[in-house]
Amino acid sequence: MSFTLSLGSQAPDFTLKATDGKKYSLNDFEEAKVLVVFFTCNHCPFVLGSNEVTRETATRYKEKGVRFVGINSNSVNTHPDDSYEHMVEEMGKQQFPWVYLVDDTQDVARAYGALRTPHFYVFDESRKLIYTGRGVDNPRDARKITVNNLADALEQHLAGQPLAVSLTNPIGCNVKWDGEDAHWMPAEACDLV
């Protein structure tokens, strides 16, 4: 079995604290026609370089029933900038159009098989996985983006079309696993395609 959640899989549930101090579970987003769960953080240059594109995509599809949920699973022992306090500070400054959750046990990252930040998972109305991988082809430098795989997947799915591309390799910093070297990846984690 591969590390990352397979296409067609049901979205794993979670109960995590957000930067607003409330706890959220999968059921809190049940009204969404499409749910985008993505693993992100405060410090990664690939996240910072593409946050505004992710914001624009989330905003554009909100009226069509798409909700975004950001999850930070990075170990604060490996990267202190990814602490909950810094998340609250970042959300206060950026006002992202998604809830920003902390996965301090890293159990949710393991359940989804998150490899990098950012790593996107798109679930349909029945919460089956229809797309996973990168958001864009150049997340570190938005000026060099030529493909927005996330927006393409949302557009095609909402139009009732089959996805032209449903699986890509996420591009970004690896998830910072507690007790491991900053660049460590699980043995069973490999390229998705």
Side-chain angles (χ1 to χ4, degrees):
M1 183 178 151
S2 70
F3 182 75
T4 299
L5 204 61
S6 301
L7 290 169
S9 297
Q10 200 70 34
D13 200 3
F14 52 79
T15 301
L16 299 172
K17 186 166 79 167
T19 52
D20 63 7
K22 298 177 191 168
K23 288 200 170 181
Y24 291 84
S25 296
L26 206 54
N27 284 346
D28 290 309
F29 308 98
E30 64 184 353
E31 85 292 346
K33 283 175 66 176
V34 178
L35 185 65
V36 178
V37 175
F38 68 107
F39 291 82
T40 184
C41 66
N42 300 327
H43 83 277
C44 171
F46 295 90
V47 168
L48 299 178
S50 59
N51 265 341
E52 289 310 307
V53 177
T54 304
R55 180 198 301 272
E56 191 274 327
T57 303
T59 303
R60 182 175 3 144
Y61 290 99
K62 185 177 183 183
E63 294 302 310
K64 296 181 179 181
V66 179
R67 291 286 305 273
F68 277 60
V69 175
I71 300 176
N72 176 9
S73 298
N74 280 356
S75 167
V76 293
N77 296 322
T78 310
H79 219 292
D81 285 349
D82 286 326
S83 70
Y84 177 74
E85 293 72 27
H86 282 111
M87 289 171 62
V88 171
E89 191 179 304
E90 193 65 16
M91 183 56 108
K93 283 192 282 192
Q94 301 295 336
Q95 296 295 304
F96 293 124
W98 51 76
V99 294
Y100 191 14
L101 308 174
V102 62
D103 173 27
D104 48 16
T105 65
Q106 302 188 308
D107 289 343
V108 178
R110 277 189 281 278
Y112 280 74
L115 297 174
R116 300 191 175 278
T117 55
H119 189 164
F120 294 86
Y121 297 79
V122 179
F123 297 94
D124 67 11
E125 203 159 8
S126 62
R127 297 303 175 257
K128 293 271 196 294
L129 184 65
I130 60 169
Y131 173 82
T132 187
R134 69 190 191 187
V136 295
D137 63 343
N138 200 324
R140 194 168 186 153
D141 187 349
R143 296 166 301 177
K144 295 180 180 173
I145 292 170
T146 60
V147 178
N148 187 330
N149 294 100
L150 178 61
D152 290 349
L154 293 172
E155 191 68 38
Q156 291 160 9
H157 177 71
L158 291 167
Q161 301 167 351
L163 269 55
V165 177
S166 54
L167 189 64
T168 59
N169 288 319
I171 302 171
C173 303
N174 59 300
V175 171
K176 306 305 180 200
W177 298 99
D178 197 42
E180 301 292 349
D181 176 79
H183 300 289
W184 182 83
M185 292 278 269
E188 65 275 29
C190 58
D191 285 349
L192 301 182
V193 292

